[in-house]
Amino acid sequence: GANVSRTLNNGTAIGNGARVDASNKIRLGNTAVTVIEGQVAFTFPSDKTKKENFQPVDGEEVLGKIRGFELSSWNFIGHDPKKFRHYGPMAQDFFAAFGHDGLGQIGSETTISSGDLAGILMIAVQALEKRTAELKQKEAQIAVLESKVEELKAKHAYFETVAARLEALQLRQ
């Protein structure tokens, strides 16, 4: 029951009812598939020497976009919600936030690449780590300032005592 249209190139359909509707696509099973597993994790290439057109990404901007996501738990239509639930964003929101980087399109409105999702999460973690380092530095500065304030309070108390003694001496004279 697997089907690849004859007008497509480089298409593979594996499993009952699997349909490939675009060139350069592989489909495993139909909408009834609930698990794709193996003894090792899926691996995709990430060799820097095979990449080009690098663009910097602002981690704070990524965090702001993630903040706006409606994150929820959900299940695919037709799947038993007691057995097959998922967490995460909707592809439409992810694409609207991260689907264009000024050079080209990333992903689509109906899918989220695990590689792109992992990349966005790594950028977000890096931005949070930067915030953490900055907060630690500010906490250290606050501790120094608090110690100086205590020092100044002690000096102020001493000078108030000295001023009170001077007043007492003046009154006696």
Side-chain angles (χ1 to χ4, degrees):
N3 182 21
V4 176
S5 170
R6 292 176 193 240
T7 60
L8 301 177
N9 295 313
N10 196 26
T12 304
I14 300 172
N16 182 37
R19 303 260 185 269
V20 171
D21 57 4
S23 293
N24 304 312
K25 181 176 182 177
I26 296 173
R27 173 70 190 202
L28 302 174
N30 59 23
T31 59
V33 172
T34 57
V35 176
I36 298 172
E37 67 181 3
Q39 296 303 311
V40 296
F42 178 79
T43 304
F44 53 88
S46 190
D47 181 350
K48 187 173 186 172
T49 66
K50 307 275 188 234
K51 299 175 181 182
E52 64 182 359
N53 298 317
F54 297 95
Q55 291 271 95
V57 180
D58 181 343
E60 285 298 321
E61 188 177 323
V62 166
L63 288 173
K65 289 177 179 181
I66 290 173
R67 188 178 307 113
F69 281 1
E70 179 184 329
L71 300 172
S72 58
S73 67
W74 45 270
N75 60 273
F76 287 106
I77 296 170
H79 285 186
D80 182 349
K82 294 187 186 322
K83 294 181 181 178
F84 302 106
R85 298 284 295 166
H86 306 278
Y87 289 100
M90 300 302 118
Q92 292 83 353
D93 296 336
F94 193 85
F95 184 74
F98 304 114
H100 298 90
D101 69 350
L103 283 181
Q105 181 172 312
I106 301 164
S108 77
E109 289 188 338
T110 57
T111 61
I112 300 175
S113 156
S114 60
D116 290 332
L117 183 59
I120 288 298
L121 293 176
M122 290 290 287
I123 292 166
V125 166
Q126 191 176 62
L128 291 174
E129 174 53 31
K130 181 179 176 191
R131 281 185 183 181
T132 301
E134 289 169 354
L135 282 173
K136 285 181 179 179
Q137 185 180 18
K138 287 179 182 180
E139 285 174 350
Q141 290 171 342
I142 288 170
V144 167
L145 292 173
E146 285 175 340
S147 125
K148 287 183 179 181
V149 165
E150 290 305 314
E151 210 177 285
L152 289 172
K153 283 181 181 178
K155 285 180 181 179
H156 179 72
Y158 170 76
F159 287 127
E160 281 188 341
T161 304
V162 169
R165 285 181 182 169
L166 285 173
E167 277 184 38
L169 282 173
Q170 282 180 338
L171 288 176
R172 277 191 246 163
Q173 289 177 357

